[in-house]
Amino acid sequence: MCQHQPACPTSDSADREAARLVAHHPEQGWSLLCNGVLLFEDTGELLPDGQIIAPHRQVMTAA
């Protein structure tokens, strides 16, 4: 899917979020990466094969 040189990480790579943006819709809370990953504002992801990656943002705790 990616036409960049060097190629972006594939959707099954650990660093898949490093792929380039194809579409960005902050008003709707999502972005599409060139590897087919839908990246959501809450850090959740939807992979091209339908697999869901739960949000993984860090939770701040009081000291």
Side-chain angles (χ1 to χ4, degrees):
M1 185 184 267
C2 177
Q3 302 299 316
H4 303 112
Q5 291 299 325
C8 291
T10 63
S11 62
D12 57 353
S13 297
D15 61 345
R16 65 182 154 260
E17 295 174 13
R20 292 189 189 185
L21 286 174
V22 173
H24 182 59
H25 294 277
E27 73 282 359
Q28 296 176 359
W30 62 271
S31 297
L32 175 63
L33 304 180
C34 72
N35 58 7
V37 173
L38 275 172
L39 182 61
F40 295 97
E41 183 178 85
D42 67 355
T43 69
E45 300 171 28
L46 179 60
L47 303 185
D49 65 0
Q51 182 181 356
I52 297 169
I53 307 295
H56 50 272
R57 62 178 153 182
Q58 294 182 346
V59 177
M60 301 299 285
T61 58

